[in-house]
Amino acid sequence: MTATLQVENLETQFPTRDGIVRAVDGVSFSVDAGEILGLVGESGSGKSITGFTILGLIDPPGRIANGSVKFKGEELTTASPERLRSLRGSRIAMIFQDPMMTLNPVLRVDTQMIETVQAHEKVSEKAARARCIETLQSVGIAAPEDRLKSYPHQFSGGMRQRIAIATALLHKPDLIIADEPTTALDVTIQGQILYEMRKLCRDTGTALIWITHDLSVVAGLADRIMVMYAGKIVETGAIDTVIERPQHPYTRGLIGSVPGAMPRGKRLFQIPGMAPAPLNLPPGCRFKARCSRADAVCDTMPELLELNPGHRARCHHPFDAKPLSPAEVVS
Amino acid sequence: MAVMSVLVFVGIYMIGDPLAILVSPEATELDREAIAKSLGLDRPMWEQYLTFVTSALQGNFGKSFVFGQPAINLILERMPATLELALIATFMSVVIGVPLGLYAGLRHETVAARAIMAGSVLGFSLPNFWVGLMLIMVFAVQLGWLPASGRGPTMEVLGIHVSFLSLTGWKYLALPALTLGLSKCALIIRLARATAREVMLMDYVKFARAKGLSEKRVIGVHILKNIMVPITTVTGLELGSLIAFAVITETIFSWPGMGKLLIDSIVHLDRPVVVAYLIVVVFLLVIISLIVDILYSVLDPRVRLGEAK
């Protein structure tokens, strides 16, 4: 069976006055139907750009410099704009980070949802409206007939995100790319939405890429995890393996900085330093300047090596594949 | 409007003595006094103002010193011509300005976009009277396509004389409307471009694309509806100033509107007409801003009142 999404050696670049920014630099991964992939990284690591690249929504002058994106076997990097448009919103949907900004403030919710239905299928407005009502109901919005006639500002943030999710679900897509959709929400609502999204993927076989900077969100949601740093994948594997036995020092640092990983009262772990400037990436391992284990070998770029079955890390000095104890995190 | 009436009244009182112009130099001192008495100019200023306010409230703005007709009638007679000119100039500037500005905003790095922006700088900086004269030179004198002055024959609709219903009417309208609309058009181009560049970066535009909408719908609905909010505001304000101060253009093209009347009245120190004119203009501005506010709530649901749940 072909994977729902197969990304090979993807490179997205933004030419700027001072040089080329390699936002996504040789990223490869795949997602199967019904699978949830957590894509983790800090701001500027290229995780959101990866999502937009898949959809063909990179703002000029950004461009895909290399690599391939195959959606159910179909190459997207060379597809026509019209083909991409017909896939967007119907087969591949995206949910954005800030629900306050994703709905157009001057258009009614029904306008914004019905246009999505009609962009891909020739259906009457009545049939489209019925579909919107049904979908809104499925994401837990009460009295959808009335709510459809409202404007976005009449909804709370959580409700707006549900509307955005419902909009993404209108055509029962095969792949959903969710770009930190719960970051701006209350923790209680975040929990509900996570639960519903997980259930949805299991029930419908939709593949989900969940982009986030919050490891604790992904830990309870994803099947597999992929950690990005400065445009490159540094570690990938099954969620439990990576969380319990991280091999890359960066992943280890991320886990150590989540509240709860450390004994109560102790200072949270901080990764020293800052992410490298995207225009001025150091040769070799991009994390070496912040890494306690770095030495001369790290001046060459390490490969993404499989150290245990299904668990790969890009490091010359990976940690042992044994469970992490709190004491080790600090060392 | 009350404040306005005081300001205008005092202002015009200070400017000069209308008697000096109205009365011929050969007239005797007795004649002068008789005329002053008949026009009520012999009484002190505050008394003149009180008389003015009480009669103005009854709809009587006094008689023109020069024409001997009620001032308000003189103005209302000429208002349709000015309104028509200003409305058509505004309409032209929006219809031309919004698409050009939108294009310049969306494709801001193209040569065409830069040409539009350069053109808008010209539209801004060329003085009105010069543009008017150049247009007359080219289209009326050199090419002879369009008439250089006047309003030509008008048609009567509901008792109002209008030009825009006939082709000849349009020929007379074209040059003054173009002159008047040019700088407004430049303003709207710049505004549309700036807001379009701002709106196109918003998440909801990206989300609209991610929903698979066609580019036509993303631009024509999602972006356009958002940029129309500031454009409506500015257009309303500019329409007011066009109506009030179309003076120069009307003078150049001998357009029989209110602006020309104002200039003539100021020259003759025809106080009742000037005062009545400014009151009418203030009234129009109030009406226009009311209309803009109503349009605003149609365009932007967030400013609607009494709907918050």
Side-chain angles (χ1 to χ4, degrees), chain A residues 85 101 104 112 115-116 120, chain B residues 204 211-212 217 222 226:
Chain A
R85 184 201 68 72
M101 302 299 298
N104 195 324
Q112 301 193 45
E115 67 181 4
T116 314
H120 301 287
Chain B
Y204 53 75
K211 290 195 296 192
R217 186 154 177 102
H222 285 259
N226 276 286

Side-chain angles (χ1 to χ4, degrees), chain A residues 52 55 57 59 85 88-89 92 94-96 98 101-107 111-113 115-116 119-120 147 150-151 153-154 164 167, chain B residues 200-215 217 221-223 225-226 229 298-304 307-309:
Chain A
F52 284 123
L55 278 175
L57 282 181
D59 286 324
R85 184 201 68 72
R88 280 200 293 264
I92 310 176
M94 187 151 184
I95 306 168
F96 287 47
D98 186 352
M101 302 299 298
T102 45
L103 300 175
N104 195 324
V106 301
L107 297 175
T111 317
Q112 301 193 45
M113 288 189 78
E115 67 181 4
T116 314
H120 301 287
R147 301 304 263 154
S150 309
Y151 284 92
H153 69 278
Q154 292 163 324
T167 308
Chain B
M200 68 189 274
L201 297 176
M202 299 303 253
D203 269 1
Y204 53 75
V205 172
K206 215 161 196 187
F207 189 62
R209 293 214 169 92
K211 290 195 296 192
L213 301 184
S214 62
E215 210 49 16
R217 186 154 177 102
V221 177
H222 285 259
I223 295 182
K225 217 171 161 199
N226 276 286
V229 177
V298 170
L299 286 171
D300 191 343
R302 285 165 296 185
V303 300
R304 263 173 232 175
E307 260 193 42
K309 280 176 192 166

Side-chain angles (χ1 to χ4, degrees), chain A residues 257-285:
Chain A
S257 58
V258 174
M262 301 285 293
R264 195 181 155 80
K266 274 204 141 181
R267 221 185 137 85
L268 287 176
F269 179 73
Q270 252 186 339
I271 303 175
M274 302 251 292
L279 271 172
N280 192 17
L281 292 172
C285 176

